[in-house]
C-alpha cells in the first residue's frame, strides 16, 4: 500500500486578489478537484486558526487544507545566524507536524501551507535589496563571499515546492545574483529540486536529529536516513549542502544517540560533500501554548519536550512563555555535544551553536 501524499488539498481557501494573479491561477489549476472557499484574509480563517478543537485534527488539516494569499509587507530583516537576512516569505505554514515547531504559534491551533501568489513582487524586491548591499567585503560565519538570504523562515521550502513554483523561482533568481545566496532548512527530501541547476547559489540545510528522537517528534517528515542519503545527491546537483543539528533534545541516552547519528553522517557524506559541509547546533526551545496543544494530539512528545526539571521560562518578544534549558545547564550540555562532534565528525565546521 502506498503512503498517503504529504499534501493533497480537498479545500483551498483563497483571497480574491491572489486567485487573480498568474501564480494563484496555477495553484488552483494544480488542484482542480479541491473545493474553493473565498476568504477576506489568509490570516483570519476561523475554521483553521484559533480553534482549540482543531488540535484533534492537526495532521488531517495539514494534509487537506491549502491557503492562497498575497504577501502584504515586503522586508528583508537582518539576521546574523543562519543568514545575513530573512527574506520575505513566499509561503508560511507546513504540511509536516514536528512537535516542537515554532511556526504554529503565529496562527493558532492549525497552520497548513499558505502560498503567496505575488511572487513577482517578492522576487523583484529581493533583487533590488541584493543590489543595494553591493559586494560583501567582510567574511564571517554566515558565508565568506556572499550575502545569504533565508527564504524559508516560516515554512519548509521542499514542501512548498510540492504546491507551487515559488521556490523554483527563488532558486532561479539567486542563480543570477553573484553577490548573494538563498538558504533554507528542510526535513523533507524533494528530489524534484535536483533538476533546478542552482549553480552553488542556494544552500540547503538538512535538519538532523537522532532517529529515535525523530520518530517521536518529527511527524510526517522524511526519515533521517533518507535525509542523510540525499546529501551527496544535492551537492552533486549544484547545491551547497549544510546540516542543522536541531533541535537538540536532552533525554536519557541522548549523547549516545547523537554519537550514532554523527557516525552515520560520516558514512553517508562523500569526501567532496564533507569538504564543503558546515553545521548549526540549536538546543531546544519549547513553548507553553504549543505544549498545551501537543497534550491534545501527541502527549508522548511532551515527555521529552517539556522538562521543568531541566528548563527555565523566558517570555518571548511577542509575549509568549517559552522554555529552554537552564542557562548554567545548557552551556554544559552544549559543550558535551560539541566535544562529541569534534571527536566523531571533525570535518564538520560548526558555524554557530546556541
Amino acid at each position: 500500500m502506498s503512503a498517503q501524499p504529504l499534501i493533497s488539498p480537498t479545500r483551498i481557501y483563497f483571497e480574491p486578489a491572489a486567485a487573480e494573479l498568474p501564480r494563484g491561477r496555477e495553484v488552483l489549476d494544480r488542484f482542480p478537484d479541491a473545493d474553493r472557499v473565498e476568504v477576506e484574509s489568509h490570516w483570519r480563517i476561523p475554521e483553521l486558526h484559533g480553534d482549540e478543537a482543531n488540535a484533534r485534527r492537526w495532521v488531517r488539516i495539514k494534509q487537506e487544507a491549502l491557503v492562497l494569499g498575497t504577501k502584504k509587507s515586503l522586508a528583508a530583516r537582518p539576521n546574523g545566524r543562519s543568514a545575513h537576512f530573512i527574506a520575505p516569505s513566499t509561503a508560511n505554514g507546513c504540511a509536516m507536524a514536528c512537535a516542537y515547531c515554532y511556526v504554529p504559534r503565529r496562527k493558532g491551533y492549525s497552520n497548513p501551507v499558505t502560498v503567496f501568489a505575488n511572487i513577482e513582487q517578492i522576487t523583484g524586491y529581493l533583487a533590488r535589496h541584493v543590489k543595494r548591499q553591493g559586494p560583501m567585503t567582510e567574511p564571517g560565519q554566515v558565508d565568506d563571499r556572499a550575502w545569504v538570504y533565508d527564504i524559508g523562515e516560516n515554512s519548509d521550502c521542499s514542501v512548498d515546492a510540492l504546491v507551487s513554483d515559488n521556490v523554483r523561482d527563488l532558486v532561479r533568481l539567486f542563480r543570477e545574483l553573484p553577490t548573494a545566496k538563498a538558504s533554507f532548512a528542510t526535513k523533507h527530501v524533494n528530489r524534484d529540486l535536483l533538476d533546478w541547476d542552482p549553480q552553488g547559489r542556494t544552500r540547503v540545510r538538512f535538519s538532523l536529529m537522532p532517529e529515535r528522537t525523530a520518530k517521536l517528534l518529527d511527524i510526517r517528515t522524511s526519515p533521517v536516513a533518507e535525509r542523510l542519503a540525499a546529501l551527496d545527491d544535492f551537492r552533486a546537483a549544484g547545491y551547497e549542502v549544510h546540516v542543522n543539528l536541531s533541535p537538540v533534545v536532552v533525554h536519557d541516552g541522548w549523547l549516545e544517540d547523537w554519537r550514532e547519528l554523527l557516525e552515520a553522517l560520516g558514512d553517508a557524506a562523500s569526501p567532496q560533500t564533507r569538504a564543503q559541509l558546515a553545521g548549526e547546533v540549536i538546543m531546544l526551545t519549547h513553548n507553553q501554548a504549543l505544549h498545551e496543544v501537543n497534550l491534545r494530539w501527541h502527549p508522548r512528545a511532551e515527555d521529552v519536550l517539556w522538562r521543568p526539571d531541566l528548563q527555565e521560562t523566558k517570555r518571548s518578544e511577542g509575549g509568549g512563555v517559552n522554555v529552554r534549558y537552564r542557562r548554567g545547564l545548557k552551556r554544559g550540555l552544549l559543550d558535551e555535544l560539541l566535544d562529541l562532534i569534534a571527536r566523531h565528525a571533525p570535518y564538520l565546521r560548526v558555524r554557530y551553536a546556541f
Side-chain angles (χ1 to χ4, degrees):
M1 181 180 298
S2 61
Q4 287 187 329
L6 192 60
I7 182 166
S8 54
T10 59
R11 179 170 292 187
I12 300 177
Y13 302 84
F14 69 93
E15 296 176 352
E20 293 173 0
L21 292 169
R23 182 54 39 86
R25 293 195 297 271
E26 289 174 10
V27 172
L28 292 172
D29 289 345
R30 185 172 293 192
F31 305 103
D33 296 330
D35 295 334
R36 301 179 183 186
V37 181
E38 183 175 323
V39 295
E40 180 180 350
S41 169
H42 70 88
W43 279 106
R44 294 188 297 276
I45 306 176
E47 62 193 89
L48 294 185
H49 306 148
D51 182 357
E52 292 188 19
N54 281 340
R56 295 190 297 272
R57 300 169 53 238
W58 188 270
V59 171
R60 177 174 291 183
I61 288 174
K62 286 175 170 292
Q63 180 180 358
E64 297 179 353
L66 180 65
V67 183
L68 187 59
T70 56
K71 180 70 174 175
K72 309 301 191 297
S73 175
L74 302 183
R77 305 191 330 267
N79 179 248
R81 283 181 169 168
S82 288
H84 296 103
F85 300 100
I86 305 297
S89 299
T90 58
N92 68 34
C94 191
M96 298 184 290
C98 300
Y100 47 80
C101 183
Y102 66 87
V103 175
R105 303 174 199 168
R106 301 196 63 197
K107 284 192 174 181
Y109 294 94
S110 179
N111 195 15
V113 174
T114 295
V115 178
F116 295 132
N118 54 327
I119 183 63
E120 292 182 353
Q121 278 186 295
I122 296 170
T123 54
Y125 169 85
L126 278 171
R128 293 189 296 273
H129 191 276
V130 170
K131 184 177 180 180
R132 287 197 299 270
Q133 306 314 307
M136 194 178 73
T137 58
E138 296 184 8
Q141 69 86 9
V142 175
D143 197 82
D144 289 338
R145 295 179 295 276
W147 300 107
V148 176
Y149 289 73
D150 193 318
I151 61 172
E153 181 190 35
N154 294 314
S155 64
D156 188 304
C157 289
S158 299
V159 177
D160 299 342
L162 300 173
V163 178
S164 83
D165 287 336
N166 280 358
V167 180
R168 186 168 192 162
D169 286 348
L170 290 169
V171 171
R172 183 182 297 117
L173 170 70
F174 280 90
R175 188 170 61 206
E176 305 302 323
L177 298 174
T179 62
K181 291 179 183 176
S183 177
F184 65 89
T186 184
K187 300 183 187 75
H188 177 67
V189 178
N190 182 347
R191 290 186 170 272
D192 290 344
L193 277 62
L194 296 174
D195 298 327
W196 289 3
D197 188 27
Q199 298 181 17
R201 310 312 301 174
T202 294
R203 174 185 294 169
V204 179
R205 298 162 9 243
F206 283 96
S207 293
L208 303 174
M209 65 166 56
E211 184 66 32
R212 180 162 66 115
T213 312
K215 286 181 177 179
L216 177 65
L217 304 179
D218 275 3
I219 310 302
R220 307 191 82 220
T221 64
S222 297
V224 171
E226 186 178 346
R227 300 178 219 173
L228 290 171
L231 299 176
D232 280 358
D233 293 338
F234 274 75
R235 193 269 311 161
Y239 291 92
E240 182 180 32
V241 174
H242 285 191
V243 292
N244 280 9
L245 307 183
S246 70
V248 177
V249 181
V250 177
H251 55 82
D252 289 343
W254 71 285
L255 280 173
E256 177 62 20
D257 287 355
W258 276 100
R259 182 192 63 76
E260 292 178 1
L261 174 61
L262 292 169
E263 291 179 351
L265 174 62
D267 292 340
S270 67
Q272 295 90 339
T273 298
R274 291 198 298 268
Q276 55 86 77
L277 201 64
E280 306 169 9
V281 180
I282 305 170
M283 302 291 288
L284 171 72
T285 296
H286 198 30
N287 175 269
Q288 184 175 18
L290 184 58
H291 164 66
E292 293 168 359
V293 171
N294 285 348
L295 289 176
R296 296 184 176 95
W297 79 279
H298 189 28
R300 286 184 55 237
E302 293 307 299
D303 292 341
V304 297
L305 294 176
W306 191 260
R307 293 288 305 274
D309 56 320
L310 302 178
Q311 295 165 334
E312 62 185 4
T313 61
K314 178 186 178 184
R315 191 163 294 275
S316 70
E317 294 179 1
V321 178
N322 293 341
V323 295
R324 62 185 182 184
Y325 298 117
R326 293 195 302 271
R327 185 171 301 179
L329 176 66
K330 178 181 175 181
R331 184 67 256 175
L333 296 170
L334 191 56
D335 286 344
E336 286 185 279
L337 182 55
L338 292 174
D339 179 65
L340 205 66
I341 294 169
R343 286 187 283 118
H344 295 280
Y347 55 85
L348 181 61
R349 176 172 59 90
V350 176
R351 292 200 296 105
Y352 74 89
F354 76 96

